[in-house]
Amino acid sequence: MSRGVRRAGAGQGAAAAVQLLVTLSFLPSVVEAQVTGVLDDCLCDIDSIDNFNTFKIFPKIKKLQERDYFRYYKVNLKRPCPFWAEDGHCSIKDCHVEPCPESKIPVGIKAGSSNKYLKVANNTKELEDCEQANKLGAINSTLSNQSKEAFIDWARYDDSQDHFCELDDERSPAAQYVDLLLNPERYTGYKGPSAWRVWNSIYEENCFKPRSVYRPLNPLAPSRGLCLEKRVFYKLISGLHASINLHLCANYLLEETWGKPSWGPNMKEFKRRFDPVETKGEGPRRLKNLYFLYLIELRALSKVAPYFERSIVDLYTGNVEEDADTKTLLLNIFQDTKSFPMHFDEKSMFAGDKKGAKSLKEEFRLHFKNISRIMDCVGCDKCRLWGKLQTQGLGTALKILFSEKEIQKLPENSPSKGFQLTRQEIVALLNAFGRLSTSIRELQNFKVLLQHSR
């Protein structure tokens, strides 16, 4: 090879290296540039959602999730997978269930009482002691037989025909209370074939998917050829997936020294899941679908406000003062949701001929209900817990959006036969929306970190 050719090749190599550095330096701005603007299928822009969430919703919903009524969630983590033989639960210590010591169970819960929105008081507030008694991130999901008996009379009533989720039987001996504050959603190490099969089943078998999309984890290609309802369904599942991934990236086990873990944002993991270059353009679309899901649940909260504004609805825990404060805070959040100026218009859905619309709505409901059943196939208990809660929360939001007439006819001082929410649906609805609010807040933090990494 002549020296001229070698010099030309060297020059081209240097130019390529410079171009690569330039490309890498602009990656953060590319992420920001692509996750902006007006969302498809609605007239809301991302910047407006960011500001609304940061200054109005996030501080209040975070505070609400710390209240006793919303802190405890009853769930059955032992239901068998209905679709395939289980591989056995994850053996990673951050995945499995550990009981919270009997001495740390809130006294009010043991006492028990009968009320349709009953959740007994927690006056001990021994959060730190209880957390130390558990393994790292392990789930506190079991109670003594005495405590189970105390809860057996909790009222179970629902409008089964409109459920979008496969609900756990709260009276089952396998259904257990979990303290959500002691079991935050974060990275557990659960991955591989088991985790892939769950999302593969969701996207490939239970989601309305454009024929042009093949890979199960590539659900966000332009959904041409799908009607509005199927596009919405697709974006909801994709947005939920994106939100879960954001939580894992933001609460990642960075290191563990002498048994003391250090949790925090993992930039490498965030780029792997959302960077437009590493995801071949899919990452920004995933994040946009997170915003779309936020809008859907925000709309549901604004629509269900009249249900909770009635004097008959009492978020009962046994602590009269705290119960009143909790309801005041919840109603304040509802007022904020109603003030948002760019809500998604759910009336545009199922608006065709009555027969076709009814059939499509039923297909929509059954698809989502099946996805809720798939959550029982998740091999990691902590992942299963949060997957079930957020799926039930979204299912409750859909139930609300498609029950507008029943909500409008609610009696002020007596229970309604047309529309009801169980306590578990209420807890799931608000905690699921809290997770979305947190995801959007965490995304803002990642944008700042990306800017500093340039």
Side-chain angles (χ1 to χ4, degrees):
M1 183 183 295
S2 67
R3 284 183 293 178
V5 173
R6 285 197 297 270
R7 281 197 296 271
Q12 291 171 353
V18 171
Q19 181 61 43
L20 176 60
L21 291 174
V22 171
T23 300
L24 291 174
S25 68
F26 277 101
L27 280 180
S29 60
V30 169
V31 172
E32 286 188 66
Q34 293 190 15
V35 187
T36 188
V38 177
L39 295 173
D40 295 334
D41 292 321
C42 59
L43 298 176
C44 185
D45 65 280
I46 287 177
D47 288 342
S48 295
I49 299 175
D50 283 337
N51 291 331
F52 180 78
N53 183 66
T54 298
F55 297 108
K56 286 201 169 185
I57 295 297
F58 179 72
K60 295 176 184 178
I61 198 74
K62 187 173 184 294
K63 186 177 180 181
L64 186 74
Q65 289 175 285
E66 296 172 354
R67 298 298 178 94
D68 289 347
Y69 186 88
F70 293 98
R71 172 176 174 173
Y72 297 96
Y73 179 65
K74 195 169 189 180
V75 62
N76 185 352
L77 298 175
K78 299 179 181 179
R79 287 178 62 168
C81 173
F83 299 107
W84 56 77
E86 295 184 76
D87 300 324
H89 281 200
C90 179
S91 61
I92 301 173
K93 66 179 180 179
D94 298 337
C95 287
H96 71 273
V97 173
E98 288 287 346
C100 190
E102 168 70 15
S103 61
K104 303 304 181 182
I105 303 296
V107 176
I109 289 183
K110 297 177 187 178
S113 182
S114 180
N115 185 283
K116 64 180 180 180
Y117 298 124
L118 177 63
K119 179 63 185 72
V120 286
N122 167 19
N123 296 318
T124 57
K125 306 296 184 184
E126 296 179 325
L127 175 63
E128 294 182 357
D129 291 342
C130 191
E131 189 161 37
Q132 291 175 355
N134 291 317
K135 291 288 186 180
L136 174 64
I139 290 179
N140 164 21
S141 65
T142 58
L143 299 177
S144 67
N145 290 332
Q146 177 186 0
S147 297
K148 291 176 182 177
E149 288 297 324
F151 286 118
I152 201 68
D153 291 329
W154 278 39
R156 177 176 176 82
Y157 56 86
D158 53 63
D159 183 4
S160 60
Q161 293 183 350
D162 283 336
H163 274 309
F164 283 76
C165 284
E166 183 79 14
L167 300 181
D168 287 341
D169 183 357
E170 297 173 31
R171 296 166 295 182
S172 168
Q176 302 163 323
Y177 281 93
V178 175
D179 186 337
L180 298 175
L181 295 186
L182 294 183
N183 300 282
E185 184 180 21
R186 57 191 176 192
Y187 181 80
T188 65
Y190 176 63
K191 55 186 177 180
S194 177
W196 182 88
R197 182 162 56 173
V198 168
W199 287 109
N200 177 75
S201 179
I202 289 174
Y203 283 126
E204 288 296 308
E205 301 170 19
N206 295 281
C207 206
F208 300 106
K209 185 171 64 66
R211 292 181 179 179
S212 59
V213 177
Y214 174 71
R215 290 178 58 243
L217 298 186
N218 180 19
L220 305 170
S223 50
R224 297 173 183 173
L226 293 183
C227 64
L228 171 64
E229 292 81 3
K230 294 184 179 182
R231 290 200 305 271
V232 166
F233 187 98
Y234 200 53
K235 289 178 180 180
L236 296 181
I237 302 306
S238 168
L240 177 60
H241 195 183
S243 180
I244 291 172
N245 282 336
L246 258 174
H247 301 151
L248 305 186
C249 295
N251 293 280
Y252 202 92
L253 181 58
L254 302 178
E255 62 179 355
E256 187 170 5
T257 305
W258 298 102
K260 295 183 178 180
S262 173
W263 301 89
N266 186 316
M267 290 294 299
K268 183 177 179 181
E269 190 69 19
F270 176 81
K271 290 182 178 180
R272 184 179 75 82
R273 296 175 185 267
F274 297 109
D275 184 87
V277 175
E278 294 198 31
T279 62
K280 298 180 180 180
E282 295 174 21
R285 288 196 292 270
R286 294 171 180 167
L287 295 174
K288 281 189 174 183
N289 286 339
L290 161 64
Y291 282 93
F292 186 82
L293 173 58
Y294 180 92
L295 279 183
I296 292 292
E297 295 199 11
L298 180 70
R299 179 60 166 170
L301 292 180
S302 72
K303 301 292 284 188
V304 82
Y307 181 84
F308 291 92
E309 290 168 351
R310 299 176 302 156
S311 58
I312 192 176
V313 175
D314 180 23
L315 304 179
Y316 182 78
T317 69
N319 185 327
V320 177
E321 183 177 351
E322 179 174 313
D323 292 349
D325 289 343
T326 299
K327 184 169 182 179
T328 298
L329 178 58
L330 179 62
L331 295 182
N332 191 263
I333 292 173
F334 284 142
Q335 285 301 117
D336 286 336
T337 64
K338 290 192 286 187
S339 72
F340 187 71
M342 293 172 281
H343 275 295
F344 174 79
D345 182 11
E346 74 282 356
K347 292 181 181 179
S348 60
M349 297 177 62
F350 309 110
D353 67 278
K354 290 186 177 181
K355 185 176 180 180
K358 184 177 181 180
S359 175
L360 183 58
K361 180 180 177 181
E362 181 64 7
E363 187 181 8
F364 192 102
R365 185 183 71 85
L366 292 177
H367 272 249
F368 192 84
K369 193 170 185 178
N370 216 37
I371 287 175
S372 73
R373 298 177 70 204
I374 294 175
M375 291 301 158
D376 285 318
C377 300
V378 176
C380 163
D381 279 337
K382 181 172 287 186
C383 306
R384 181 183 291 206
L385 162 67
W386 286 102
K388 287 170 75 78
L389 182 144
Q390 290 172 87
T391 303
Q392 185 178 17
L394 176 53
T396 304
L398 294 174
K399 172 182 173 179
I400 292 167
L401 290 180
F402 301 136
S403 302
E404 182 176 17
K405 292 181 180 179
E406 290 80 1
I407 293 174
Q408 290 175 345
K409 297 177 182 178
L410 289 171
E412 173 62 30
N413 297 311
S414 61
S416 168
K417 295 181 180 180
F419 178 84
Q420 292 282 1
L421 292 176
T422 67
R423 179 189 174 276
Q424 296 312 101
E425 287 176 312
I426 296 170
V427 172
L429 175 68
L430 272 300
N431 274 285
F433 184 67
R435 292 279 74 204
L436 297 178
S437 177
T438 300
S439 290
I440 289 178
R441 192 72 186 90
E442 288 169 342
L443 180 57
Q444 308 314 305
N445 294 337
F446 273 114
K447 288 181 179 179
V448 172
L449 292 174
L450 285 168
Q451 289 175 343
H452 291 166
S453 68
R454 292 180 185 177

